[in-house]
Amino acid sequence: MWVHPIYTREQIEAIDVAHREAKTFRDRFALTAIRMIRSTFDFATGYKHPPPGHEADKKFEMTPELWLRRFLFLESIAGVPGMVGGMVRHLQSLRILRRDNAWIETLLEEAYNERMHLLTFMQLTKPGWFMRLMLLGGQGVFFNLFFVSYLISPRTCHRFVGYLEEEAIITYTRCLKDIAAGRIPEWKTEGVPQIAKKYWRLDDNATMEDLIYYVRADEAKHREVNHTLANLKPSDPNPFVIHTVHNDNQPSKSLKTYNPIGWERKDVIGSDN
Ligand SMILES: [Fe+2]
Ligand SMILES: [Fe+2]
């Protein structure tokens, strides 16, 4: 099992919504794809994101059961890209007899982390046959599309995941605001499954609110990793694992150094060629 980095309370509370401006054609393509997928998915599941000032309106109300259903589906999709990216690079390394420069471990760790999110939420809800069918169909379509896309343009795919994570953070931030405002009183006090305590090394009295804070921080890390990888050439070293610059201000696995919109290539790769 990959050991989860320790986040401090201050670090996880400081995570916030962020948006990386789309600058290139690849960026705009990825952003448009995400916006289309999000609005289709929201429409299909009847989810409405409240505009500012309307968070407490009845028509935007989300119960714990509705939240869990949404998390379950999204986490099941979120576990796909890291595994596909890791797999493609793994096979490429075997095939062309070249080292990978440490991307594989970060990508597989991301897939593992997403699956831990899924396994945690799975302890809290019992999906029915319709949901199981959605998971099957969703994965069947998404895995194949993402796989082919990753063969064509890995950088566009990492940007796509960066934008996907931006959306995930918008959703989790809304959930945390709902909890703070007393709209989901259960999650202020309800404990978390054993698997979550073990993975994030939480106290025995950790609540669902704490758990959502941790999950959101993980998504923030994925947002940073994927926006950064999208700025690199696929042959560059992975700066989250390999020390590429000669100071401490470089990407890391923890939240000690953290850049919500990703690191620019010139700042993390020693030379610019
Ligand atoms: Fe996740
Ligand atoms: Fe994620």
Side-chain angles (χ1 to χ4, degrees):
M1 153 167 160
W2 278 276
V3 178
H4 194 280
I6 303 271
Y7 302 149
T8 67
R9 189 79 203 173
E10 240 181 355
Q11 287 169 340
I12 60 174
E13 283 181 4
I15 299 293
D16 208 349
V17 169
H19 175 58
R20 185 186 168 90
E21 198 196 323
K23 294 174 197 150
T24 64
F25 173 75
R26 274 196 289 260
D27 296 352
R28 283 189 287 274
F29 184 85
L31 185 59
T32 308
I34 280 296
R35 294 224 164 124
M36 272 167 53
I37 291 171
R38 167 136 203 174
S39 48
T40 312
F41 178 65
D42 285 356
F43 178 75
T45 54
Y47 175 86
K48 289 191 194 81
H49 198 80
H54 292 268
E55 289 82 0
D57 290 10
K58 193 82 188 139
K59 68 172 177 174
F60 298 113
E61 192 183 313
M62 288 286 284
T63 61
E65 195 43 45
L66 286 174
W67 273 123
L68 287 170
R69 237 193 277 167
R70 188 173 179 85
F71 294 162
L72 198 76
F73 184 79
L74 293 176
E75 297 295 352
S76 125
I77 293 294
V80 171
M83 184 55 69
V84 170
M87 176 189 73
V88 168
R89 293 187 66 100
H90 170 85
L91 293 174
Q92 192 178 42
S93 171
L94 301 181
R95 195 173 66 243
I96 63 173
L97 307 173
R98 198 179 293 158
R99 294 195 62 171
D100 165 71
N101 271 332
W103 288 45
I104 296 171
E105 62 179 273
T106 296
L107 295 172
L108 293 186
E109 185 173 8
E110 178 189 297
Y112 178 79
N113 175 259
E114 298 289 17
R115 199 169 61 88
M116 295 309 283
H117 294 172
L118 180 72
L119 295 183
T120 299
F121 292 129
M122 219 169 74
Q123 301 291 312
L124 302 162
T125 178
K126 284 273 158 291
W129 65 269
F130 182 71
M131 179 53 136
R132 288 172 190 275
L133 205 67
M134 291 263 293
L135 295 177
L136 184 80
Q139 185 176 97
V141 172
F142 184 61
F143 173 87
N144 288 295
L145 270 180
F146 196 82
F147 172 59
V148 173
S149 307
Y150 203 89
L151 295 177
I152 299 169
S153 176
R155 284 200 267 187
T156 313
C157 288
H158 286 298
R159 185 68 74 218
F160 172 87
V161 179
Y163 286 134
L164 177 79
E165 300 290 356
E166 288 184 6
E167 294 295 329
I169 291 156
I170 291 173
T171 304
Y172 282 118
T173 301
R174 181 205 161 181
C175 182
L176 285 168
K177 281 188 180 155
D178 276 6
I179 298 172
R183 287 190 283 273
I184 320 173
E186 300 91 327
W187 285 1
K188 266 263 174 229
T189 50
E190 195 180 314
V192 303
Q194 194 57 34
I195 188 172
K197 284 186 202 164
K198 232 179 121 187
Y199 180 58
W200 284 279
R201 284 170 279 177
L202 303 175
D203 292 344
D204 268 337
N205 52 8
T207 63
M208 281 300 289
E209 185 183 28
D210 300 329
L211 175 69
I212 308 282
Y213 267 117
Y214 272 87
V215 172
R216 184 181 67 162
D218 289 345
E219 311 302 6
K221 210 62 209 174
H222 305 157
R223 178 177 66 184
E224 176 189 2
V225 165
N226 283 282
H227 273 324
T228 304
L229 296 183
N231 294 341
L232 304 185
K233 293 182 185 165
S235 57
D236 284 336
N238 170 10
F240 289 89
V241 177
I242 297 173
H243 215 246
T244 49
V245 286
H246 298 290
N247 59 49
D248 285 337
N249 188 29
Q250 85 152 62
S252 67
K253 284 189 177 195
S254 72
L255 284 169
K256 256 184 248 153
T257 55
Y258 163 65
N259 184 339
I261 57 165
W263 301 68
E264 298 306 320
R265 184 169 189 271
K266 64 176 172 36
D267 299 327
V268 290
I269 300 298
S271 67
D272 201 13
N273 48 44

